């Protein structure tokens, strides 16, 4: 029987899920703070952040992929190059483009919504992931899961209702940064759609081949470079006289680097969660992060706890639990890189 990979005796499956929950909360809070704490003319460029994240994530994945090639291999570099540029590598271009769009939209959403509101609305990912899984992977959902999805939509709706009121409270506290909840929710809705489609597509590519996850990650990052570079070129073209480093990394301070680091860590963790657990459990980990980031928002941003927010969050959490609470479906776990 295959051994379950573990670190310090804890199965990687649980370690990666719990770490992902903490990472999700940390990202929401740090990203929100890094965006709203600066006035618009002192803000850093999200496009630069997304590109930097992809370059770092791709480089780390490349090192891991290299270290996983047998030392007995005559030329490890040649082997790595042929693995990365495999005939089916183009398949990763689809999730790569979708993730770049999602990662840019995340900045729009987090800049225009309160941290906790963003986190709760982002749970709609579970809905889109389910939809695309049924459509593309022909996955079957149980009746309680469909009910859970309905509750999820209702819960997110309830949280949206209170966002308008809470908006006034936060604007009163900080006039530096005007948030636009409609823009924020549109960005979240689109990001949820790309998240679901990209996740399911990545799942499909991973499931249908033996290729190492880290090689897939390198391919994903490589295909992300072009779409991530496009808005950066646009930024540079607007004022080429200052030099590209000065233009792209303007106001790129400690908080921006913190956001990038947490994003890099999160991307690698997502890959691990997909490998050692599955997308369904991943949804559960992110819903746990709602509670964590909600408490952090109360402490850090004077977030006002409204009754409506509590009701909406409770519905989202119960729905997430209901969705995840199902008889174990062997196929959803065993596809994740070959151990039952
Ligand atoms: O919220 P969701 O799970 O859709 O977010 C996935 C995030 O993880 C995206 O930021 C994406 O760029 C990243 N990712 C990654 N490597 C993978 C899969 C996702 O970096 N293999």
């Amino acid at each position: 029987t295959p051994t379950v990979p573990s670190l310090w005796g804890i199965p990687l499956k649980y370690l990666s899920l719990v770490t992902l929950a903490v990472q999700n909360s940390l990202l929401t809070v740090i990203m929100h703070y890094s965006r709203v704490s600066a006035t618009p003319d002192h803000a850093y460029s999200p496009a630069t952040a997304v590109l930097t994240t992809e370059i770092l994530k791709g480089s780390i994945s490349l090192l891991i992929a290299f270290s996983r090639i047998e030392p007995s291999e005559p030329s490890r570099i040649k082997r790595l190059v042929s693995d990365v540029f495999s005939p089916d590598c183009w398949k990763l271009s689809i999730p790569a483009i979708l993730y770049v769009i999602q990662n840019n939209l995340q900045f729009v959403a987090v800049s225009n919504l309160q941290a906790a509101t963003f986190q709760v609305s982002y749970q709609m990912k579970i809905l889109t992931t389910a939809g695309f899984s049924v459509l593309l992977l022909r996955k079957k959902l149980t009746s309680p899961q469909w009910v859970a999805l309905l509750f999820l939509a209702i819960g997110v709706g309830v949280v949206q209702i209170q966002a308008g009121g809470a908006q006034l409270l936060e604007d009163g506290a900080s006039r530096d940064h005007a948030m636009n909840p409609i823009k924020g929710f549109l960005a979240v809705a689109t990001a949820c759609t790309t998240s679901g489609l990209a996740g399911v597509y990545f799942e499909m590519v991973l499931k249908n081949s033996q290729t190492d996850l880290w090689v897939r990650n390198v391919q994903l990052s490589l295909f992300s470079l072009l779409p991530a570079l496009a808005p950066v070129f646009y930024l540079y073209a607007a004022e080429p006289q200052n030099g590209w480093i000065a233009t792209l990394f303007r106001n790129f301070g400690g908080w921006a680097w913190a956001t990038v680091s947490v994003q890099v860590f999160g991307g690698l963790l997502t890959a691990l969660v997909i490998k050692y657990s599955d997308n369904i459990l991943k949804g559960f980990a992110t819903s746990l992060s709602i509670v964590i980031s909600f408490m952090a928002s109360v402490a850090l941003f004077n977030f006002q706890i409204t009754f409506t927010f509590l009701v909406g969050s409770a519905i989202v959490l119960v729905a997430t639990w209901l969705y995840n609470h199902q008889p174990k479906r062997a196929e959803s776990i065993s596809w994740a890189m070959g151990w039952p």
Side-chain angles (χ1 to χ4, degrees), residues 4 24 55:
V4 176
N24 258 266
I55 292 173

Side-chain angles (χ1 to χ4, degrees), residues 54 57 99 102-103 125 195 202 217 220 267 270-271 282:
E54 275 325 314
K57 225 165 43 183
Y99 275 140
Q102 178 187 342
N103 292 339
K125 277 195 279 197
S195 162
F202 191 74
N217 265 357
L220 191 68
T270 301
K282 182 171 144 289

Side-chain angles (χ1 to χ4, degrees), residues 35 40-56 107 225 228-229 231-237 239-240 242-261 264:
R35 298 298 295 162
D41 48 327
H42 285 98
Y44 65 92
S45 147
T48 307
V50 171
L51 178 67
T52 313
T53 303
E54 275 325 314
I55 292 173
L56 290 175
F107 277 98
L225 287 182
L229 266 169
V232 169
F233 270 129
Y234 183 76
L235 197 73
Y236 174 65
E239 40 180 310
N242 294 333
W244 67 273
I245 293 204
T247 304
L248 303 188
F249 288 92
R250 180 175 308 127
N251 304 318
F252 216 86
W255 285 106
W257 282 108
T259 303
V260 165
S261 312
V264 169

Side-chain angles (χ1 to χ4, degrees), residues 158-303:
V158 171
V159 172
Q160 277 180 329
I161 292 169
Q162 68 86 49
Q167 173 68 33
L168 297 174
L169 289 170
E170 185 157 329
D171 276 356
S174 141
R175 290 180 195 283
D176 285 350
H177 184 94
M179 297 202 279
N180 180 346
I182 307 243
K183 196 172 161 188
F185 278 123
L186 281 177
V188 164
T190 317
C192 285
T193 310
T194 57
S195 162
L197 187 54
V200 167
Y201 206 92
F202 191 74
E203 181 179 332
M204 230 159 59
V205 174
L206 210 60
K207 224 175 168 179
N208 294 334
S209 80
Q210 295 289 316
T211 309
D212 188 70
L213 177 77
W214 299 103
V215 171
R216 289 296 189 208
N217 265 357
V218 174
Q219 295 171 334
L220 191 68
S221 282
L222 278 179
F223 279 109
S224 301
L225 287 182
L226 209 63
L229 266 169
V232 169
F233 270 129
Y234 183 76
L235 197 73
Y236 174 65
E239 40 180 310
Q241 67 279 9
N242 294 333
W244 67 273
I245 293 204
T247 304
L248 303 188
F249 288 92
R250 180 175 308 127
N251 304 318
F252 216 86
W255 285 106
W257 282 108
T259 303
V260 165
S261 312
V262 180
Q263 274 277 57
V264 169
F265 184 56
L268 299 174
L269 263 178
T270 301
L272 277 172
V273 166
I274 290 174
K275 177 169 176 173
Y276 294 113
S277 316
D278 58 37
N279 270 320
I280 296 166
L281 278 166
K282 182 171 144 289
F284 190 71
T286 43
S287 83
L288 187 69
S289 76
I290 295 182
V291 180
I292 305 171
S293 64
F294 175 66
M295 291 185 294
S297 293
V298 170
L300 295 172
F301 308 124
N302 292 323
F303 184 71

